[in-house]
Amino acid sequence: QIAGGTAACAWSLTQALPQCRHTVAFLSSVSEATRRTFSPHRVESWAQCAQGRIESLAPDLVILHNVSSDQATRWEDVFTIQYVHSAGRRLAADHTVYCSRWLAEACRARDSSVLWQGVPRPGNATSYDRHRNTRLRIGRLCTPTVRKWPAELPEFYAYLAKLHSRIRSRQRINSIL
């Protein structure tokens, strides 16, 4: 879903390349909210990333997000980039990039393979002024599941905020779960 870091990255790529025609294929079901968020781009739900599906789109470029070798087979007729968001077995691509230096190191890749994930500005951008706001914000870009947002996390963030006066604490985590 779009709330997750991987889908949010795919969305931010559609925003960063507005002159391109995008088809976003999920290897899972897609909610109507996610479809609306990606609008006006085409959103599809596929069981597998198959050669015929890719060929039918006639793409100039395919960007894979965490696609494993179990979910797809390699095709040769289009340039592919594998954007890795977490460790695991990934389909080989023409070029592989990692969303963080930590992940690149964990996957034994070079620092030059890091492509920082774009993060959009908050919807209410007027409430945030980078020059006046000197407090540090700590957050997570990930799918809001219990595995990635353990019950201890709000308490840990509150502890950090108490320990360091420059950290801004917000208690929105529980409302996600």
Side-chain angles (χ1 to χ4, degrees):
Q1 301 302 326
I2 191 65
T6 306
C9 185
W11 176 84
S12 66
L13 285 172
T14 67
Q15 302 303 296
L17 303 167
Q19 72 281 12
C20 297
R21 178 180 48 93
H22 300 272
T23 298
V24 182
F26 286 80
L27 298 178
S28 60
S29 61
V30 183
S31 72
E32 278 309 308
T34 297
R35 288 182 190 281
R36 283 191 303 275
T37 300
F38 275 95
S39 182
H41 306 292
R42 188 169 150 187
V43 175
E44 297 185 3
S45 177
W46 296 354
Q48 189 174 35
C49 193
Q51 176 82 25
R53 290 263 192 174
I54 299 298
E55 287 175 351
S56 71
L57 298 172
D60 296 313
L61 170 69
V62 172
I63 302 175
L64 306 164
H65 291 267
N66 266 6
V67 174
S68 76
S69 52
D70 298 337
Q71 297 168 309
T73 54
R74 181 141 166 87
W75 52 92
E76 301 296 328
D77 298 338
V78 63
F79 190 83
T80 57
I81 297 173
Q82 175 75 262
Y83 203 143
V84 180
H85 297 271
S86 61
R89 289 185 0 198
R90 302 292 170 232
L91 182 68
D94 294 304
H95 190 68
T96 301
V97 295
Y98 299 83
C99 70
S100 72
R101 183 171 288 127
W102 180 90
L103 182 59
E105 286 177 15
C107 295
R108 300 176 195 253
R110 289 182 265 143
D111 279 353
S112 61
S113 64
V114 175
L115 178 60
W116 302 110
Q117 180 174 330
V119 179
R121 290 184 182 202
N124 186 4
T126 57
S127 68
Y128 177 74
D129 182 342
R130 159 190 319 190
H131 303 291
R132 287 190 307 196
N133 190 342
T134 60
R135 302 195 72 172
L136 176 65
R137 292 181 186 212
I138 297 176
R140 295 173 70 91
L141 289 176
C142 65
T143 308
T145 62
V146 173
R147 181 175 62 83
K148 294 180 181 180
W149 290 83
E152 310 81 45
L153 201 56
E155 185 179 317
F156 173 68
Y157 283 163
Y159 169 75
L160 286 177
K162 285 180 186 171
L163 194 63
H164 303 283
S165 62
R166 291 190 60 213
I167 294 177
R168 182 176 178 179
S169 177
R170 281 205 148 158
Q171 294 299 322
R172 291 187 55 216
I173 297 169
N174 287 331
S175 66
I176 292 172
L177 302 174

